[in-house]
Amino acid sequence: MNNNDFTEQTLDGRKVATATLGVRNTDLYNLDLGLATRKNFSFKLEKFITKATITNPEYEKREYNFINKHTAKIELPAKNIENTTVIAEYTIKVTNIGKVAGTIENIADYLPQGMTFNGELNSGWYLSNDGNLYNTSLASKELALGETAEVKLILTRKINGENLGLVHNI
């Protein structure tokens, strides 16, 4: 074995010694390397619909609040449906389920067909040239073990007689 010098590095907030060992033969014994397992940052991403607002100049605005629903159903009055706007508010939760603290560089979401994005209603979000939505508001926030952070996304849909039905936002 070659004689290699150890160097000091910081791993997961602890100082550790590292070295590259060159092996000449297989007669190795009694090595004490003081190895440490590198811990990973891992997260869970959940998306819920939390609110829907229906507006139409012919009738009073209606708000529907949901608690962490993956799907929601809203009945629209058939009368004057052509002037109806649906505003959907989504909550995206990011939870650190790993073994070390970490940050989320960005969150990506797909813009569902028929929905529109307004940057003024969505702090931290932007519509990219690839047609996807991105949020970078958590990039400077470190998530501790088990910690959850949330971002909101608001999308709108103008209703006409041709586009009634389901909207899939996954």
Side-chain angles (χ1 to χ4, degrees):
M1 181 174 1
N2 292 338
N3 183 8
N4 295 75
D5 292 329
F6 285 88
T7 59
E8 185 177 288
Q9 293 183 357
T10 301
L11 177 65
D12 298 331
R14 299 180 320 184
K15 291 189 178 193
V16 296
T18 63
T20 302
L21 301 175
V23 178
R24 287 190 208 164
N25 61 39
T26 58
D27 295 333
L28 298 177
Y29 60 93
N30 201 20
L31 291 176
D32 183 4
L33 297 178
L35 301 175
T37 303
R38 179 176 288 178
K39 296 178 183 177
N40 293 325
F41 172 65
S42 184
F43 63 92
K44 175 173 70 171
L45 191 70
E46 299 174 286
K47 183 175 175 183
F48 305 101
I49 184 161
T50 50
K51 185 177 181 180
T53 305
I54 311 301
T55 61
N56 185 302
E58 300 297 322
Y59 51 84
E60 193 172 313
K61 176 170 83 171
R62 300 175 185 186
E63 284 190 4
Y64 302 88
N65 292 297
F66 308 102
I67 299 173
N68 296 340
K69 290 276 195 176
H70 291 286
T71 60
K73 180 180 179 181
I74 301 168
E75 301 286 335
L76 298 175
K79 190 176 183 180
N80 300 317
I81 202 157
E82 295 291 327
N83 296 318
T84 302
T85 301
V86 177
I87 303 168
E89 180 179 297
Y90 300 93
T91 298
I92 299 173
K93 292 182 180 183
V94 181
T95 303
N96 182 348
I97 60 171
K99 299 188 185 292
V100 295
T103 58
I104 304 295
E105 178 124 352
N106 65 46
I107 297 170
D109 196 11
Y110 306 105
L111 183 61
Q113 186 175 356
M115 300 292 279
T116 57
F117 171 79
N118 181 339
E120 293 175 10
L121 298 176
N122 292 285
S123 177
W125 288 92
Y126 66 92
L127 180 61
S128 178
N129 291 337
D130 64 8
N132 295 323
L133 302 167
Y134 294 93
N135 183 298
T136 57
S137 62
L138 298 179
S140 62
K141 178 177 176 34
E142 184 173 88
L143 290 179
L145 298 147
E147 185 178 5
T148 298
E150 296 182 359
V151 294
K152 301 281 185 189
L153 174 63
I154 298 172
L155 301 175
T156 59
R157 183 173 184 169
K158 300 277 186 196
I159 301 295
N160 60 43
E162 303 295 316
N163 67 351
L164 292 174
L166 296 174
V167 172
H168 297 281
N169 189 354
I170 54 174

